[in-house]
Amino acid sequence: QGKRVLVLSYAKNLCASLERGLDKLLGGEARKRIKVSTVDSLARRVLVATGAAERDCKPLGDQDLLKLLQQHVARTGSKVKMPFLRLEWDRVVKLQGIFDWQSYSQAERSGRSQALGESGRREVWAVLGPFLEGLAKQEQASYAHLRAMAASSLVQKGVPSSLQFDAVIVDELQDLTPPALRLIAGLA
C-alpha cells in the first residue's frame, strides 16, 4: 500500500514484457509506484540524478572497448601482450570497477594464471590507466564502470528522492557483477 517498488533485470526484453504485464494487471496509482528497469539504465539515471554526469551517456560494448584498447596499445608501444591485457581488463579492472592506480595496486587477482608484483602491475597500469583517462575525457565507459561510478555517486551524494524505493526486486541476482551489486545496495 503506497510503497514504491523497483524491479531490475539485465534483459531489456524481460523489462518490456514486465511493463506490459504490469500495465494489464494494475492501473492508476498502483502502477505508477512500480518502476521496471535494466541495471544499466538505472546506473545511467543515477549518474544524471546525482549530478555525477551532466547528461545520459551511452556505455561502450565489449567489442568497441576491445577495439579502442587495441588501438591504444598500438599507440603506446607497450610490451604487455594484448591477450593478457584483455583478460586483466575483463577479470580485474572491469569486474571490480577499478578507476585508479591505488585500487588496481590493491586489487584481488585470484584466478589469474600469472601473478603480478608491483612492477608488473605498474607496467599494466601504464597502459590501462591512460586508457581509462582517455575514455573519461570522451565521456565513454564500459557498462561495469558506469555501474561502479553510479554506486560511488550514491555513496558520496546520497540517494536522490526520485530513486528512493521501499523495495527492490532483482531478476537473476546471482549473475550480477560486484559493481552492479554495489549499485543496488547503494539504493538501500
Side-chain angles (χ1 to χ4, degrees):
Q1 299 294 67
K3 305 283 186 179
R4 293 189 64 216
V5 177
L6 175 62
V7 180
L8 291 172
S9 174
Y10 258 104
K12 289 180 185 179
N13 292 341
L14 178 58
C15 287
S17 178
L18 286 169
E19 292 272 3
R20 288 189 300 273
L22 288 168
D23 289 344
K24 288 178 186 176
L25 289 173
L26 303 172
E29 287 302 311
R31 176 61 185 100
K32 289 178 185 175
R33 289 191 301 269
I34 301 174
K35 176 70 180 158
V36 179
S37 177
T38 64
V39 175
D40 295 320
S41 292
L42 171 67
R44 292 163 48 197
R45 277 197 314 279
V46 164
L47 289 170
V48 172
T50 59
E54 291 181 23
R55 63 182 185 279
D56 187 17
C57 61
K58 292 269 186 194
L60 294 171
D62 288 340
Q63 293 304 318
D64 292 332
L65 278 167
L66 179 59
K67 186 176 178 181
L68 289 172
L69 181 57
Q70 287 172 329
Q71 292 168 354
H72 176 74
V73 169
R75 280 192 308 274
T76 64
S78 173
K79 294 177 186 170
V80 183
K81 301 293 183 204
M82 190 61 205
F84 180 84
L85 279 174
R86 180 180 184 179
L87 287 174
E88 194 72 1
W89 171 264
D90 285 341
R91 297 184 184 170
V92 180
V93 175
K94 186 174 79 170
L95 184 65
Q96 296 180 42
I98 292 172
F99 296 101
D100 56 45
W101 162 249
Q102 181 71 23
S103 299
Y104 181 68
S105 70
Q106 299 170 1
E108 176 65 37
R109 294 184 71 259
S110 61
R112 296 291 287 127
S113 60
Q114 181 178 343
L116 282 182
E118 184 177 344
S119 64
R121 285 186 188 226
R122 285 192 183 280
E123 189 175 352
V124 169
W125 194 251
V127 176
L128 295 181
F131 176 68
L132 280 168
E133 289 171 13
L135 290 176
K137 285 179 187 172
Q138 296 173 25
E139 296 182 357
Q140 297 175 320
S142 69
Y143 285 96
H145 278 95
L146 284 180
R147 292 180 215 123
M149 287 187 285
S152 176
S153 183
L154 288 174
V155 169
Q156 293 171 3
K157 300 177 182 192
V159 180
S161 60
S162 64
L163 295 172
Q164 291 177 350
F165 297 93
D166 299 293
V168 179
I169 300 168
V170 183
D171 175 52
E172 302 292 341
L173 182 70
Q174 74 277 5
D175 294 337
L176 297 179
T177 61
L181 292 172
R182 285 191 295 275
L183 169 61
I184 295 165
L187 293 174

